Amino acid sequence: MFVDDNLAALASAGGATVAAAMITDAWPAARNGIIRLFSLHGLHRPAVVRAQLDGGAALVELAGQPDMARKGLASLWELELALLLKEDPAAEAELRQFVAEIGAALADERRRRCAG
């Protein structure tokens, strides 16, 4: 990978979080968080990141097997986030916060779905 093991694990968690959030109630916040992260720290233009995110969400929505689509997209975003962390290690704190906040929102959504 492009970064040390700790940052690689963070990139993996971030990619999984982005993909898991697609087509959920947490998606708007996740989408905006990734666009913001790349706007502040990445070399990508926000429009490019936005298009990638929207295209991925459309794939999940249209897929006969959304979990399979999410798995592939998680790998893509893991790579994107590893490259981001390599380009700007200062993005680490914000990515950790993103994973924690969106992960918590997804867990809350799962709890509500199970309870309701």
Side-chain angles (χ1 to χ4, degrees):
M1 180 69 48
F2 310 103
V3 292
D4 69 40
D5 289 346
N6 289 334
L7 292 182
L10 176 59
S12 180
T17 301
V18 171
M22 291 179 174
I23 314 304
T24 67
D25 291 345
W27 179 236
R31 180 182 178 276
N32 290 337
I34 290 296
I35 291 168
R36 182 183 186 303
L37 185 67
F38 277 89
S39 295
L40 293 174
H41 300 283
L43 298 176
H44 299 304
R45 292 186 325 220
V48 173
V49 173
R50 189 176 300 112
Q52 282 184 279
L53 291 166
D54 292 345
L59 282 172
V60 171
E61 188 171 34
L62 297 172
Q65 297 180 338
D67 288 339
M68 184 179 285
R70 282 187 176 100
K71 184 177 178 182
L73 290 164
S75 296
L76 168 75
W77 283 101
E78 177 182 354
L79 178 60
E80 290 283 4
L81 292 167
L83 289 169
L84 175 75
L85 291 168
K86 181 182 178 199
E87 292 169 5
D88 186 359
E92 177 183 357
E94 191 168 346
L95 181 55
R96 285 191 189 286
Q97 181 178 354
F98 169 85
V99 169
E101 289 176 2
I102 300 302
L106 289 169
D108 287 346
E109 189 172 332
R110 281 190 294 275
R111 277 192 292 276
R112 284 193 311 272
R113 201 175 316 123
C114 289

